[in-house]
Amino acid sequence: MPEAVESVFASVVSRNPGEPEFHQAVREVLESIGPALARHPEYARARIIERICEPERQVIFRVPWEDDHGRVRVNRGFRVEFNSALGPFKGGLRFHPSVYLGIVKFLGFEQIFKNALTGLPIGGGKGGADFDPKGRSDREVMRFCQSFMTELYRHIGEQTDVPAGDIGVGSREIGYLFGQYKRITNRYESGVLTGKGLSYGGAQVRTEATGYGAVFFAEEMLAQTGDSLDGKRVVVSGSGNVATYAIEKVHQLGGTVVACSDSDGYVLDEKGIDLELLRELKEQRRVRLDDYVRHVPHAVAVAGRTVWEVPCDLALPCATQNEIGGAEAAALVAGGCVAVVEGANMPTTPEAVRILGRAGVRFAPGKAANAGGVAVSALEMQQNASRDSWTFAQSEQRLRETMRDIHARCWATAEEYGLPGDYVAGANINGFRRVAEAMLAHGLV
C-alpha cells in the first residue's frame, strides 16, 4: 500500500475503532487502487479516498416490539447511506444477531463498488438490525418489521435510498416492511424497496439472482481460458438462498455440486446434491442439514468441519464473511481447486486470498461475482418506474448479460493496469474509478 494511502487507512482505523470487518474491507480496496491513483493525481488532490471511506450518513435507532407473550423487546436498527455519487443509495437489510455498526459499514462500503461495477445508476448503502427472525412467529416478525420501518421510512425513498433484503430478510420481511411504509406515507411507491413479491411489483429472477449471477461469473472466468462448467466438481458453502440457486445453476450448466454446508457441518453426496430435498429440509421443514443422510443413504454428514476439505474443481463460498481462512485455502489448493468465486460478501480472508494467488487459483471477489442480486434489484426499480413487468426469461437474460459485462470490465481493467487475470484489482480499480469520476463531477459534496 502506498505511503499516502497507508496514512488514510490509519485514519480510517482510528476514526472507526472496534470495526474489524470495515477495516478489512477498506484495506482490501486501498491495497488495489495504487495504479489508478498514480495515473489520476486529481483523485488525491480532491481527497476522493478520504471522502469515499466516510459514509454520507449513518443512522442508528431503537426498535421496540412486543413478542407473542406480551413481553416488550428492544433491538437496534441501522442504515448506513455510504455513497450516492452514482444514484440513490442501494443495498440490503440484514436481520441477524451479529449485526452491529461495523458489519453494516463493511457491507455498505463493499456495496459502493459492487453497484458501480453493474454499470447501473445506483449508489451504495446497507442496513439491518441485531434481530434474529429464526424461531419467531410470523406475527412477531411482522411487529418487529413494522417498528423498524416506523423509524426507517423517513430516511428512504425511490430517489433517495432503496433497501432490499439480505440475510434474515426475505419476501416475508420485505412485505411487512413495504406494508408499513405504505401505511405511514399514504403513498404506493413500489420502487422504495426491492425484493418484493411478484404480486405487488417484484421482479422475476430476483430470488435467484445472487446465486445464478455467481455461477454466470464463474462460467465467464472458465471460458476466458477455454474451459466450461461441464463436468466440473463443485463445492458450495451454505444452504440458504444464495447457495441453493448457485447449486441449481451449476447443475443446469453441466457441473455437479457434491457438497454444501450449514453452521453444524457439511453433507457430501458424490452423486450430486439433491436440490429438491435440500429445499424441503431448509425452506419447508427448517431442519439441520445432517437430516439429508436419512433420505439419501449413500450421502455422508460431517459435523464440525468445513466443506473446503472436500476435493473440488470450483469452490463457491455462499455463507458469510471470513469463512475461508488460511487453513481452508490450503485445503482447497491441496484438493485441486482451480477457481474460487465468492457468492457471499467477503467470505475469504486476506491471508486466504494470498495463498490462493500463490497457488495459481483464480479468485473472483464478491463485489464482482455476487453483484447479480443488486443488478436485478436495479432492474426491479426500472420495471417499477415504468409500470412494467418482464418475463423470467427476459430477466435471466439481462442478469447473464450484466454478469458478462462485469467480468469483462474486471478483466479489461486488470489488463489495462498491467495486472492480467487479477480480478480483485480489476474490480476495485474499475468500481473506484467510476465513483471517483462522478464525485469529481459533483464538486465538493
Side-chain angles (χ1 to χ4, degrees):
M1 190 184 298
E3 185 177 343
V5 178
E6 188 72 59
S7 68
V8 174
F9 178 69
S11 175
V12 168
V13 172
S14 67
R15 287 166 62 85
N16 303 274
E19 299 175 358
E21 299 87 358
F22 178 50
H23 302 162
Q24 180 182 337
V26 172
R27 174 175 278 280
E28 190 258 0
V29 171
L30 297 189
E31 285 180 336
S32 302
I33 61 175
L37 296 175
R39 189 176 296 186
H40 297 279
E42 65 272 21
Y43 295 167
R45 289 195 297 270
R47 295 294 183 95
I48 293 296
I49 302 175
E50 290 89 340
R51 290 158 59 189
I52 213 169
C53 290
E54 186 68 28
E56 294 182 27
R57 191 174 299 109
Q58 303 178 64
V59 183
I60 304 176
F61 52 95
R62 180 181 62 201
V63 188
W65 58 283
E66 188 177 272
D67 68 19
D68 287 341
H69 302 286
R71 290 191 295 262
V72 174
R73 307 277 185 165
V74 181
N75 286 94
R76 183 173 288 177
F78 305 88
R79 190 66 182 173
V80 175
E81 297 174 332
F82 226 115
N83 191 288
S84 61
L86 296 177
F89 305 103
K90 185 81 188 80
L93 297 170
R94 176 176 293 193
F95 291 171
H96 192 271
S98 66
V99 170
Y100 78 108
L101 186 58
I103 288 283
V104 177
K105 284 164 71 174
F106 129 62
L107 292 167
F109 186 76
E110 287 279 291
Q111 201 77 41
I112 299 169
F113 308 100
K114 180 189 300 186
N115 293 0
L117 280 169
T118 68
L120 298 168
I122 43 178
K126 207 74 177 184
D130 57 358
F131 167 76
D132 191 354
K134 288 183 179 177
R136 293 293 176 187
S137 70
D138 286 348
R139 294 187 67 81
E140 287 177 320
V141 173
M142 180 182 70
R143 287 192 289 269
F144 175 83
C145 288
Q146 289 175 339
S147 181
F148 184 86
M149 183 55 80
T150 298
E151 171 60 32
L152 183 67
Y153 88 94
R154 70 191 77 241
H155 306 292
I156 63 176
E158 290 179 324
Q159 306 302 324
T160 306
D161 185 351
V162 182
D166 194 86
I167 294 172
V169 179
S171 59
R172 174 185 63 174
E173 289 76 15
I174 292 293
Y176 294 150
L177 291 166
F178 181 76
Q180 184 72 351
Y181 180 87
K182 183 168 69 72
R183 178 185 188 185
I184 292 171
T185 64
N186 194 34
R187 295 192 300 270
Y188 199 103
E189 296 179 1
S190 56
V192 74
L193 287 165
T194 58
K196 301 183 295 298
L198 295 177
S199 62
Y200 64 102
Q204 298 272 10
V205 189
R206 176 60 190 93
T207 305
E208 299 86 349
T210 306
Y212 276 18
V215 177
F216 288 147
F217 195 97
E219 182 182 41
E220 293 298 317
M221 283 180 72
L222 294 170
Q224 195 67 42
T225 57
D227 204 350
S228 73
L229 278 163
D230 192 41
K232 291 291 183 293
R233 180 183 171 91
V234 183
V235 296
V236 175
S237 68
S239 47
N241 180 71
V242 178
T244 299
Y245 288 107
I247 293 169
E248 179 175 274
K249 187 53 65 176
V250 167
H251 288 173
Q252 290 176 2
L253 296 176
T256 302
V257 176
V258 297
C260 64
S261 65
D262 63 13
S263 57
D264 288 344
Y266 69 87
V267 65
L268 174 65
D269 185 344
E270 292 288 353
K271 295 183 180 179
I273 293 295
D274 184 329
L275 190 56
E276 185 175 341
L277 174 59
L278 179 65
R279 283 177 171 150
E280 179 187 339
L281 296 177
K282 303 304 285 187
E283 297 175 9
Q284 297 174 28
R285 294 169 53 191
R286 301 183 187 278
V287 297
R288 307 312 302 172
L289 191 57
D290 58 10
D291 205 51
Y292 184 98
V293 300
R294 298 180 187 176
H295 304 270
V296 183
H298 66 263
V300 178
V302 181
R305 306 274 286 276
T306 77
V307 72
W308 313 120
E309 65 186 18
V310 178
C312 65
D313 301 308
L314 173 67
L316 297 171
C318 296
T320 191
Q321 64 267 12
N322 293 327
E323 58 176 295
I324 300 180
E328 291 79 16
L332 284 168
V333 171
C337 182
V338 299
V340 174
V341 177
E342 293 187 329
N345 291 306
M346 206 172 71
T348 314
T349 67
E351 178 192 9
V353 173
R354 288 191 291 271
I355 291 170
L356 295 171
R358 286 197 295 267
V361 177
R362 282 165 284 172
F363 174 74
K367 62 172 61 69
N370 71 31
V374 74
V376 174
S377 282
L379 298 179
E380 182 176 332
M381 293 166 64
Q382 182 178 333
Q383 293 170 72
N384 293 157
S386 62
R387 301 292 192 268
D388 197 2
S389 180
W390 302 347
T391 66
F392 190 97
Q394 285 176 302
S395 297
E396 184 176 11
Q397 182 59 32
R398 285 293 300 273
L399 170 63
R400 194 166 202 162
E401 291 169 357
T402 299
M403 299 312 297
R404 185 179 296 126
D405 290 344
I406 292 172
H407 178 273
R409 290 188 188 101
C410 294
W411 183 268
T413 302
E415 293 232 319
E416 178 187 348
Y417 284 86
L419 300 164
D422 188 336
Y423 286 96
V424 174
N428 287 334
I429 292 174
N430 187 280
F432 174 77
R433 198 171 57 185
R434 185 164 182 246
V435 176
E437 291 297 326
M439 292 176 73
L440 284 176
H442 296 164
L444 193 58
V445 293

